[in-house]
Amino acid sequence: MPTYGRLPVSFIRGKGAWLWDKNDTRYLDALSGIAVCNLGHAHPAVHAAICKQSEKLLHTSNLYGLDLQEQLADKLCQRSNMESAFFCNSGAEANEAAIKIARRYGNNQGITQPVIITMEKSFHGRTMATLSATGNAKVQQGFMPLLDGFVHIPFNDIPAIEQAIQSNSNIVAILVEPVQGEGGVNIPDADYLNKIRDICDRHQMLMMLDEIQTGIGRTGKFLAYQHNNITPDVCTLAKALGNGVPIGACLASGKAAEQLTAGTHGSTFGGNPLACSAALAVLDTLNQEDLINEAAKKGGLISSKIAEKLQNNKQVSEIRHKGMMIGIELAKPCANLVQEALAKKLLINVTNEKTIRILPPLIIDQEQIHYLVNTLSELITEHTEQQ
Ligand SMILES: *Cc1c(COP(=O)(O)O)cnc(C)c1O
């Protein structure tokens, strides 16, 4: 079904930050399959892990013990300071688990109509529950009735949270992205998550972070909330967790970790040996190499170089970045830039109409950074001069 407006190119192989199409033309991937291939394409450790695992066992069932799933849960919990993990196959499913945790948490306290606060311009997925949570009318258009139990408030607005809590005694949780991805690379105040943590503690509400795009090293920490030295009650992951092998996870701690008991949730494929072998290889690689710190530096370098080249361009409204999550906001809609970049063999994305989003693989090298900075700055200059 034509659910995506596809670009007229298809790739047949990749290596690191490069991709090749059918004619053997090379492209620089500055999007990483939307924050999925953080370690680049055809990463040797991921390749080796899934080859090795596929010789032994792809799938049994969650009806049996799964050693790799347990190992992955342990490693994720260690690195996140969380207590338990539920595995699924996508971001939307990870958020479904989070929403079910919040609802059970409410129901168990006698709140039969629990409500979750989510943000305007947020994105949480395309299933009915997650699109109802999403703060974007375009995503919801034509899919009425939505699920009840969500209130949307402005992002990065602490008084709006306090107000929502005061006017609704059914609120049990807050679900928020540490940096809004689809919404336009929106970075909140440095202490936003700390203040949310404090509010959730005071009102016994669950703090649930959607780290599906920000997680696995993207923002310069393994998880974005580690910039704030806090621990949420729930954290959802997917995208880069398997570097391209589909896997999602919902991590929980404290009361949140006690909600989903035997028979209350499940997934046939969730956390199967193949997917877990890929995720374990990803975590291993991120442990061994100083990739995440490097990525934070590279992200800073890319945005400051682009800012330098475009400093006199009045149509560039703002350049924002957190690690390797970079947004360049223009004064006018610029969706065409995606095709213009493709013609120059560069893969980028435009989100929220006016924001160029780049999510390069963390392993991007200096030469590729140079190519990215020069090509993108030229493109933006040409594009803004046309108007
Ligand atoms: C991509 C994304 C999702 C949805 O993930 P899927 O794997 O496409 O279901 C949810 N939340 C955020 C923040 C995302 O970036």
Side-chain angles (χ1 to χ4, degrees), residues 80-94:
S80 62
N81 198 25
M82 303 294 271
E83 286 169 31
S84 65
F86 171 80
F87 291 100
C88 50
N89 316 288
S90 67
E93 279 176 89

Side-chain angles (χ1 to χ4, degrees), residues 90-93 95 123-125 177 182 210 212-213 238-239:
S90 67
E93 279 176 89
N95 284 336
F123 182 78
H124 299 296
E177 296 156 88
E182 303 308 301
D210 179 342
I212 290 161
Q213 192 160 148
K239 291 204 162 97

Side-chain angles (χ1 to χ4, degrees), residues 4 33-36 89-95 122-127 130 134 176-183 209-214 236-239 246-248 325 357 359:
Y4 283 83
I34 319 185
V36 169
N89 316 288
S90 67
E93 279 176 89
N95 284 336
S122 61
F123 182 78
H124 299 296
R126 299 284 195 165
T127 60
T130 58
T134 291
V176 60
E177 296 156 88
V179 175
Q180 289 188 328
E182 303 308 301
L209 293 180
D210 179 342
E211 290 250 18
I212 290 161
Q213 192 160 148
T214 52
T236 54
L237 299 172
K239 291 204 162 97
I247 180 167
M325 205 166 168
R357 177 172 51 161
L359 303 163

Side-chain angles (χ1 to χ4, degrees), residues 2 11 26 57 59 80 124 135 188 190 201-202 284 365 369 372:
F11 301 105
R26 191 176 77 166
L57 193 63
H59 179 88
S80 62
H124 299 296
D201 287 341
R202 275 193 281 120
D284 225 34
D365 68 25
I369 288 177
L372 167 61

Side-chain angles (χ1 to χ4, degrees), residues 3 121-123 125-126 130-132 134-144 146 152 182-183 333 335 350-354:
T3 54
K121 293 193 186 160
S122 61
F123 182 78
R126 299 284 195 165
T130 58
L131 77 84
S132 302
T134 291
N136 179 343
K138 264 198 219 156
V139 172
Q140 301 172 335
Q141 180 72 41
F143 294 108
M144 307 303 157
L146 301 180
H152 296 95
E182 303 308 301
V350 169
T351 187
N352 198 27
E353 292 177 356
K354 296 190 292 195

